Amino acid sequence: MYRHILIPVDGSPLSMTAMETSMAFARDAGAKVTALMVVEPFHLFTMSPEQIEATREEYERLSRAQADHCLAAAAREAERFGVPCEVVQLESDDPYLGIIDTATQRGCDLIAMASHGRRGIAALMLGSVTLKVLTHSSIPVLVYR
């Protein structure tokens, strides 16, 4: 079955629930996991509230701290399930590319991730990282919703 599962997280409650479920799946499949958090770099022109309200230094410090917190939670969950786990934090303007590239470089045979299920205008304006991963990945994607 699957031997190496990439689990991207974004810190949202749905993403963290999907990570927990994916860890249980990995345990049952006898797979190892790589937990990934892609942090978007600071932009001078943005619609992201986190970037509008913070200086570059504050944004970078807070986003690294959030990524560390989420990845530590993933490592704890992996340990709880007895699943071998590595954590990766990277910065990318295009999170979906960071996800696909990490899965490819690390030899993952499955990407397990959450979808927030946005529709209509929200989906058009915010985009969907999950949809982009589904569209562009040659590696199978398991979507938790």
Side-chain angles (χ1 to χ4, degrees):
M1 193 180 254
Y2 299 108
R3 295 179 318 279
H4 190 175
I5 302 170
L6 180 72
I7 305 173
V9 295
D10 65 11
S12 68
L14 180 62
S15 170
M16 300 311 282
T17 299
M19 176 271 296
E20 293 168 10
T21 303
S22 298
M23 290 292 181
F25 179 79
R27 178 201 58 210
D28 295 345
K32 65 181 178 178
V33 302
T34 296
L36 169 69
M37 182 143 178
V38 180
V39 177
E40 292 187 64
F42 185 85
H43 295 104
L44 290 177
F45 300 103
T46 183
M47 295 299 289
S48 169
E50 295 84 10
Q51 292 186 36
I52 291 172
E53 297 171 354
T55 65
R56 177 186 302 270
E57 293 77 21
E58 288 173 310
Y59 172 79
E60 289 172 352
R61 181 180 53 78
L62 290 172
S63 57
R64 276 194 303 274
Q66 180 187 16
D68 290 344
H69 174 75
C70 293
L71 293 172
R76 284 191 304 274
E77 199 67 17
E79 186 175 336
R80 184 169 79 87
F81 281 105
V83 174
C85 177
E86 292 184 41
V87 297
V88 176
Q89 181 182 147
L90 63 91
E91 187 175 285
S92 175
D93 281 316
D94 295 309
Y96 82 97
L97 288 176
I99 292 167
I100 293 169
D101 291 347
T102 300
T104 302
Q105 291 165 4
R106 293 187 169 256
C108 297
D109 49 8
L110 179 68
I111 301 170
M113 62 190 300
S115 173
H116 296 282
R118 293 185 181 100
R119 301 183 194 283
I121 298 289
L124 290 173
M125 295 198 58
L126 297 173
S128 169
V129 173
T130 304
L131 180 60
K132 290 176 185 174
V133 171
L134 281 165
T135 303
H136 297 283
S137 177
S138 60
I139 297 167
V141 181
L142 177 64
V143 178
Y144 179 89
R145 188 164 161 215

